[in-house]
Amino acid sequence: EAARPNVLLVDDDAIVLKELTSRLQKSGLDVVTASSGIQGFWLALKIKPDAIVTDYYMAGGDGHYLLSRIKSTPGTKGIPVIVCTGKITDARDRAPVERELLGRGQAADFLTKPVSVEQLLNSLRRHAGIAV
């Protein structure tokens, strides 16, 4: 039997982590969690997940920090990173951040919170080739 796809979930909100972890596990994924970008980066180095889903605005190393470390490290740069954020409400504010993350930042996708599990699974299928 093939190993279950492994997703690293990074968010400083414990409730979000718990909820998403539970829903993704029910969808057939193995989930490892981190509560900061710094912790997320070390875990990514250690476990080499199939994909990383990270919050953008966090204390202790935000999504931008995590993304730049992942993409500038040879052992992790191939891992697709899906960035989620809830702080950007205005489309005008969103556009430059999205451009930066998807362009130079090399994020695989950019989702706005609250992220539905369907939306996240679709993104994982599309960008990480995870069949769930």
Side-chain angles (χ1 to χ4, degrees):
E1 188 182 311
R4 286 161 57 111
N6 193 348
V7 174
L8 172 60
L9 205 49
V10 187
D11 199 309
D12 59 355
D13 183 330
I15 295 161
V16 169
L17 275 184
K18 192 173 174 197
E19 195 174 293
L20 270 181
T21 298
S22 155
R23 310 261 318 257
L24 290 174
Q25 285 171 336
K26 284 186 184 119
S27 300
L29 298 171
D30 278 341
V31 180
V32 177
T33 62
S35 54
S36 72
I38 294 163
Q39 188 187 18
F41 177 64
W42 288 110
L43 275 169
L45 281 174
K46 197 170 119 186
I47 65 170
K48 304 281 193 303
D50 295 305
I52 297 169
V53 176
T54 183
D55 186 17
Y56 187 67
Y57 295 100
M58 296 180 287
D62 63 11
H64 188 79
Y65 164 86
L66 178 61
L67 189 59
S68 62
R69 291 298 304 266
I70 293 292
K71 294 302 173 183
S72 62
T73 304
T76 56
K77 73 174 180 219
I79 300 170
V81 180
I82 297 167
V83 179
C84 306
T85 182
K87 295 282 195 304
I88 302 171
T89 49
D90 189 322
R92 273 196 323 260
D93 296 339
R94 181 193 161 98
V97 174
E98 189 169 4
R99 247 195 329 272
E100 167 72 16
L101 287 171
L102 296 175
R104 220 162 41 104
Q106 299 174 299
D109 206 354
F110 183 73
L111 304 174
T112 307
K113 286 181 172 179
V115 175
S116 77
V117 170
E118 255 331 288
Q119 203 181 7
L120 190 51
L121 290 173
N122 284 336
S123 186
L124 288 167
R125 282 184 202 106
R126 208 167 45 245
H127 301 289
I130 290 176
V132 286

